[in-house]
Amino acid sequence: MSTLTVNSYDIIYIFPKTTLPLQCNNSGVIMSLNIKEIRKDFPILSRKIRGKRLVYFDNAATSQKPIQVINAIKRFYEEFNANIHRGLHTLSQESSELYETAHDIVAEFINASGREEVVFVRNTSEALNLVAMTLGFHTLSKGDEIIISIMEHHSNILPWSNLAKRVGAKLKIIDITPNYMLNMEMLEEALSEKTKIVAITHMSNVLGTINDIKRISKIAHEYDAFVVVDGAQSVPHMPIDVKDLGIDFLAFSGHKMLGPTGIGVLYAKKEILEDIPPFLLGGDMIREVHCDLEGNCWAKWNDLPWKFEAGTPNIVGGVGLAEAIKYLKRIGMNNVRNHEMDLTGYALQRLNEEIGDQIIIYGPKEIEVRGGIIAFNLVNMDPHVVALYLDEYGIAVRSGFHCAQPLHERLNLKNGSVRASFYIYNTHDEIDYFVNALKEILRKQNS
């Protein structure tokens, strides 16, 4: 059992390793996955729904949590709970160290330069709003332009639409190609000296499309535009290196990557965070505050990243996210990505072979440019009805617009789509069961 030493106190922080790997390298990273053993770490997967085994295919909405994360949260409350950065007593010092170390763990995971570039927020939505409300109002003026795509989540549409309206900027929306890829030619034509921000999803939460962020960043920076990336669907599922991608901002959520809800991350380059003003004001984000009796007050902001973390933060959320990242690192993000490519390819093959022209699947055909997400519709069936039928089999999927209604309207899908999304604990057997359930649903529908 590993420990973290804080002010001469040994804090049990890294919980006992499980029998995840069949084979590890010298760094302890799994070389070959044992999904059967991985599944043992997720208590909820043993649950039955309507008398059927749970098949959880709603990972794009939120992931399930391994026992290591659950225990980390439990142990924090049992042994270390105290407010951070405010007390000289032992619990406060220990809690502060755990929370700060969580920033370090996140920074290393995405290859940021340090904790100064990692701001903890509630979720991806808050992170994107923070950028719009700080960088946006600090940088944009009337006549400037913001570029997004039609495949964006509402959280990467509405903050920029609102910003454009309030400052008199223009919002440009890039279309997709017939193969569900971002129209790069249209993007390049849209870029100009007026472009100040390019906000783009790394992976579509509907199509699974993986955008070439490195290329987008390169051409956007030729016009000195800031690049803001929605990484909610990519960070949990593939290796991410913010330096290699060359981006200015990255937003993602802990709950989609085995961590608890209510904790998210905004990465930003240190020099940018130093330059832009804070969004929320109050406790812990200030170093000192002064007021006179004439009603004049002024303050000096705290160091990064605390400058952007006002008030008591989600301390235990940071601890849980750190434990989730440790779990993913032991598996290896390349292994996560390869497993999901395998699952997605297998699912697409089985769906096409067994259901054929009775199913419409949306997203790129090439597995290399799509994530573990399959959005589809059964012919002449409402997506919500399909999702309810699948629940009868214990299969959890998502139906509707998936917080991406403009994309569905662009695809002329008035009722949305059904979405199955995969993660590290999903299996070929579950996909077979899913395909057979769809066949039975169609058989009942057509009888």
Side-chain angles (χ1 to χ4, degrees):
M1 184 175 295
S2 301
T3 60
L4 172 69
T5 301
V6 183
N7 294 339
S8 300
Y9 292 91
D10 287 338
I11 299 178
I12 299 172
Y13 187 45
I14 305 174
F15 293 89
K17 294 181 179 180
T18 63
T19 55
L20 282 177
L22 286 176
Q23 179 183 359
C24 291
N25 63 18
N26 292 334
S27 300
V29 176
I30 296 170
M31 303 301 292
S32 58
L33 295 186
N34 185 336
I35 305 303
K36 183 178 180 180
E37 292 297 326
I38 288 176
R39 288 177 63 87
K40 292 178 181 178
D41 287 334
F42 293 83
I44 200 170
L45 297 182
S46 63
R47 185 180 171 188
K48 290 190 175 182
I49 303 295
R50 304 180 188 279
K52 309 289 197 311
R53 60 171 179 159
L54 170 63
V55 174
Y56 189 77
F57 282 174
D58 195 20
N59 295 285
T62 196
S63 68
Q64 297 303 335
K65 320 306 174 191
I67 193 64
Q68 290 83 355
V69 171
I70 295 169
N71 284 342
I73 293 170
K74 180 175 181 286
R75 179 160 287 178
F76 175 84
Y77 280 130
E78 289 178 341
E79 299 184 26
F80 311 118
N81 183 49
N83 214 330
I84 63 167
H85 300 161
R86 289 175 173 85
L88 297 179
H89 61 82
T90 297
L91 289 182
S92 180
Q93 293 295 303
E94 291 173 346
S95 181
S96 298
E97 183 70 11
L98 290 171
Y99 186 69
E100 292 173 4
T101 300
H103 286 72
D104 297 333
I105 290 170
V106 173
E108 192 274 336
F109 185 65
I110 61 174
N111 197 30
S113 294
R115 71 170 63 162
E116 298 84 1
E117 298 185 332
V118 173
V119 177
F120 281 176
V121 291
R122 288 183 302 164
N123 44 49
T124 307
S125 299
E126 182 176 316
L128 294 169
N129 275 272
L130 191 158
V131 179
M133 297 297 290
T134 55
L135 175 77
F137 282 104
H138 185 64
T139 305
L140 268 68
S141 57
K142 187 175 182 179
D144 288 336
E145 295 178 352
I146 305 166
I147 295 177
I148 64 173
S149 82
I150 194 64
M151 70 174 74
E152 302 304 317
H153 188 283
H154 295 162
S155 295
N156 206 30
I157 295 176
L158 297 179
W160 308 114
S161 174
N162 175 62
L163 174 64
K165 291 176 182 177
R166 293 178 65 177
V167 303
K170 181 178 181 180
L171 185 68
K172 290 185 174 181
I173 301 179
I174 306 304
D175 200 3
I176 56 175
T177 66
N179 191 32
Y180 304 101
M181 300 295 293
L182 183 70
N183 190 324
M184 290 298 297
E185 182 178 344
M186 185 177 179
L187 173 63
E188 294 187 18
E189 291 176 354
L191 284 162
S192 72
E193 299 299 328
K194 294 182 179 180
T195 306
K196 301 302 178 184
I197 295 173
V198 176
I200 204 81
T201 183
H202 196 174
M203 182 194 298
S204 167
N205 75 318
V206 177
L207 304 173
T209 303
I210 300 174
N211 289 315
D212 189 345
I213 295 298
K214 189 172 182 178
R215 178 184 172 191
I216 293 170
S217 181
K218 183 178 183 298
I219 60 177
H221 284 154
E222 291 174 359
Y223 294 91
D224 294 324
F226 290 100
V227 178
V228 183
V229 176
D230 175 358
Q233 299 298 335
S234 62
V235 175
H237 301 282
M238 63 180 66
I240 298 295
D241 184 331
V242 293
K243 292 176 182 175
D244 182 62
L245 293 174
I247 57 182
D248 301 300
F249 297 89
L250 175 69
F252 57 99
S253 297
H255 72 94
K256 296 181 189 290
M257 51 190 295
L258 310 182
T261 57
I263 188 74
V265 176
L266 172 65
Y267 156 81
K269 292 179 179 177
K270 181 179 178 181
E271 58 268 26
I272 299 176
L273 289 177
E274 288 176 334
D275 185 53
I276 60 177
F279 176 43
L280 298 174
L281 309 180
D284 206 35
M285 57 75 57
I286 53 92
R287 182 171 296 280
E288 53 188 79
V289 178
H290 306 279
C291 292
D292 59 34
L293 295 180
E294 296 179 354
N296 301 307
C297 295
W298 58 100
K300 181 178 180 181
W301 310 136
N302 204 346
D303 296 333
L304 293 174
W306 324 124
K307 170 185 172 183
F308 292 94
E309 296 188 18
T312 299
N314 184 359
I315 306 167
V316 73
V319 171
L321 175 58
E323 199 65 37
I325 287 175
K326 293 173 193 174
Y327 191 98
L328 289 171
K329 286 179 64 179
R330 285 202 64 234
I331 291 176
M333 293 308 295
N334 281 316
N335 289 324
V336 173
R337 173 65 180 142
N338 290 336
H339 177 62
E340 291 180 17
M341 289 175 66
D342 173 65
L343 288 175
T344 306
Y346 181 74
L348 290 173
Q349 178 184 346
R350 294 280 286 122
L351 289 168
N352 284 319
E353 288 176 350
E354 299 295 329
I355 303 180
D357 58 5
Q358 296 185 82
I359 188 171
I360 304 170
I361 299 173
Y362 313 100
K365 295 180 180 179
E366 298 80 8
I367 299 300
E368 294 75 17
V369 292
R370 71 178 297 159
I373 294 172
I374 298 178
F376 67 93
N377 276 310
L378 297 183
V379 174
N380 297 324
M381 289 196 69
D382 184 277
H384 298 298
V385 172
V386 174
L388 286 171
Y389 272 133
L390 286 171
D391 187 60
E392 296 290 335
Y393 293 85
I395 301 171
V397 296
R398 183 58 60 95
S399 60
F401 295 122
H402 321 305
C403 296
Q405 189 169 354
L407 174 60
H408 282 86
E409 291 176 348
R410 171 67 180 83
L411 298 173
N412 197 31
L413 302 176
K414 296 180 180 180
N415 295 320
S417 62
V418 185
R419 183 184 68 190
S421 49
F422 313 126
Y423 210 13
I424 55 174
Y425 36 68
N426 292 129
T427 66
H428 281 214
D429 287 344
E430 289 182 319
I431 291 171
D432 290 337
Y433 179 69
F434 167 64
V435 172
N436 289 333
L438 290 176
K439 290 170 64 178
E440 288 186 29
I441 291 168
L442 283 167
R443 188 158 44 247
K444 291 176 183 178
Q445 179 74 9
N446 296 328
S447 62

